[in-house]
Amino acid sequence: MYVDYLTPPCDSPIGLLEIRANDQGVTHILFVDAPSRAARPHPLIERCQMQLSEYFQGQCLEFDLPLAPIGTDFQQRVWMRLREVPYGETCSYAAISAGIGSPKSHRAVGAANGRNPLAIIVPCHRVIGSNGRLTGYAGGLARKEWLLAHEQANRGFALQGQ
């Protein structure tokens, strides 16, 4: 039986984040304006909140959480590839397409990127156009720009501490 848990949205420097999970892993990290329904706490969500807090403090380069996003096989391949894009770096839709063995699927990769249910942890904000310009982001371009600048600013600091 599928059970969905969530806690009240947590505050972040770029707005409220709603985290959802089931017993298999975190299913959603969404930008929200207000809670969508009554909270049902889960330890995995607390762990996710802690790691996101560390990320926003510049102390977390990689997330260590079980993830359980729901999507097609193609979307799952794209989301897995996105997790390989290093902290503080960017790549193009063409690079993601090539990385999943489907070099002509740029538009489909863009669509899968736009349907990513795990903002920040599956770093779709790190995908930019082949010309180096910022392209769409479900959370808005201002958030994408903030996330990229945050990672660039904290990359050297975080790496020195390892």
Side-chain angles (χ1 to χ4, degrees), residues 12-144:
S12 81
I14 53 176
L16 293 175
L17 294 171
E18 182 176 274
I19 303 166
R20 297 181 190 172
N22 61 32
D23 289 330
Q24 286 70 50
V26 177
T27 61
H28 295 83
I29 299 172
L30 307 168
F31 294 105
V32 297
D33 294 323
S36 62
R37 60 181 195 231
R40 294 192 67 217
H42 191 277
L44 187 54
I45 293 174
E46 293 172 20
R47 204 168 123 206
C48 183
Q49 287 174 319
M50 177 65 76
Q51 288 186 27
L52 284 168
S53 176
E54 291 170 353
Y55 169 85
F56 286 118
Q57 293 171 29
Q59 300 169 345
C60 178
L61 295 175
E62 293 182 26
F63 295 91
D64 178 26
L65 297 162
L67 304 178
I70 298 168
T72 67
D73 289 340
F74 182 82
Q75 290 169 334
Q76 296 285 349
R77 288 188 2 237
V78 170
W79 300 336
M80 289 295 292
R81 178 64 185 102
L82 289 171
R83 294 196 69 204
E84 297 172 9
V85 179
Y87 181 96
E89 295 184 20
T90 58
C91 70
S92 67
Y93 293 98
I96 297 294
S97 297
I100 63 168
S102 187
K104 295 185 180 189
S105 64
H106 306 24
R107 288 186 182 184
V109 164
N113 207 40
R115 289 185 180 92
N116 171 21
L118 292 163
I120 303 166
I121 290 181
V122 175
C124 57
H125 62 276
R126 296 179 189 155
V127 182
I128 60 174
S130 295
N131 60 5
R133 291 189 177 180
L134 295 186
T135 56
Y137 182 61
L141 285 179
R143 285 185 175 126
K144 181 174 188 163

